């Protein structure tokens, strides 16, 4: 997980704040997000930030609004969460909470507004369930030979 990482214009995203990636983009929304440290007393790691949240097949990419200028070039601040580090998605108090487990500890990201975030992260919750079943060996291939298919009558 990367917090407050910076990328140059043309490396992480183009002039229109669209990320440059080879992964398939599932969806994107403009949301407000806050990152908390896990535990009973939630400590704010990243205060409320507004930006574009992109959900790809491999990660959650959060691009902050605005550009920073350093040494005559434009830089974009972003947060990057690999898909493998997400543990669960919860809907609570008109927010979507994404739980993350890294080697540094547990984190939680709260996304607002609820409606747009709920639609965006519903795919993540479904895919997480499928990947857990795949790791346990419970998922059956749709192309299994022993599977009997019913054909329409002639």
């Amino acid at each position: 997980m990367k917090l407050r990482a910076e990328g140059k214009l043309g490396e992480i995203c183009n002039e229109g704040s669209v990320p440059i990636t080879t992964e398939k983009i599932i969806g994107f929304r403009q949301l407000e997000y806050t990152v908390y440290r896990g535990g009973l007393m939630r400590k704010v790691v990243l205060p409320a930030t507004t930006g574009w949240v992109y959900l790809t097949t491999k990660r959650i990419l959060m691009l902050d609004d605005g550009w920073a200028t350093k040494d005559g070039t434009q830089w974009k601040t972003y947060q990057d969460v690999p898909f493998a580090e997400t543990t669960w998605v919860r809907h609570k108090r008109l927010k979507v909470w994404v739980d993350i487990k890294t080697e540094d500890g547990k984190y939680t990201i709260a996304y607002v507004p609820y409606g747009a975030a709920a639609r965006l992260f519903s795919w993540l919750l479904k895919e997480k369930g499928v990947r857990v079943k795949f790791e346990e060996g419970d998922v059956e291939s749709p192309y299994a030979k022993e599977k009997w298919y019913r054909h329409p009558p002639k």
Side-chain angles (χ1 to χ4, degrees):
M1 180 166 128
K2 294 180 187 176
L3 290 177
R4 295 187 191 107
E6 293 182 338
K8 280 185 181 180
L9 173 68
E11 289 178 0
I12 190 71
C13 63
N14 62 15
E15 293 174 357
S17 294
V18 176
I20 299 171
T21 181
T22 58
E23 306 151 18
K24 181 179 177 184
I25 295 177
I26 304 301
F28 57 94
R29 295 271 190 264
Q30 187 172 17
L31 303 171
E32 180 180 311
Y33 47 90
T34 307
V35 180
Y36 298 98
R37 186 91 167 159
L40 188 59
M41 300 296 287
R42 288 198 176 118
K43 180 183 175 187
V44 176
V45 177
L46 182 69
T49 308
T50 304
W52 286 90
V53 178
Y54 287 85
L55 182 65
T56 69
T57 54
K58 295 184 181 180
R59 62 186 171 155
I60 302 170
L61 182 64
M62 300 171 275
L63 300 173
D64 294 352
D65 282 341
W67 293 87
T69 305
K70 293 181 187 175
D71 302 329
T73 60
Q74 291 184 330
W75 293 74
K76 183 69 120 176
T77 306
Y78 68 95
Q79 285 67 241
D80 188 6
V81 178
F83 185 71
E85 293 181 355
T86 59
T87 56
W88 202 246
V89 177
R90 299 177 279 137
H91 304 282
K92 187 176 177 183
R93 292 188 205 149
L94 300 178
K95 293 182 183 179
V96 173
W97 300 80
V98 177
D99 296 328
I100 300 164
K101 185 176 181 182
T102 65
E103 60 235 11
D104 298 339
K106 294 182 180 181
Y107 293 92
T108 302
I109 304 174
Y111 293 99
V112 179
Y114 175 78
R119 288 187 296 273
L120 180 62
F121 290 104
S122 64
W123 177 87
L124 179 66
L125 186 59
K126 289 178 197 171
E127 187 66 21
K128 195 66 182 174
V130 169
R131 290 195 184 189
V132 167
K133 287 181 182 178
F134 180 74
E135 290 171 1
E136 294 173 354
D138 295 341
V139 177
E140 181 180 310
S141 171
Y143 305 109
K145 299 217 177 211
E146 62 272 357
K147 197 168 187 177
W148 181 79
Y149 293 101
R150 181 177 175 198
H151 297 285
K154 293 182 180 180

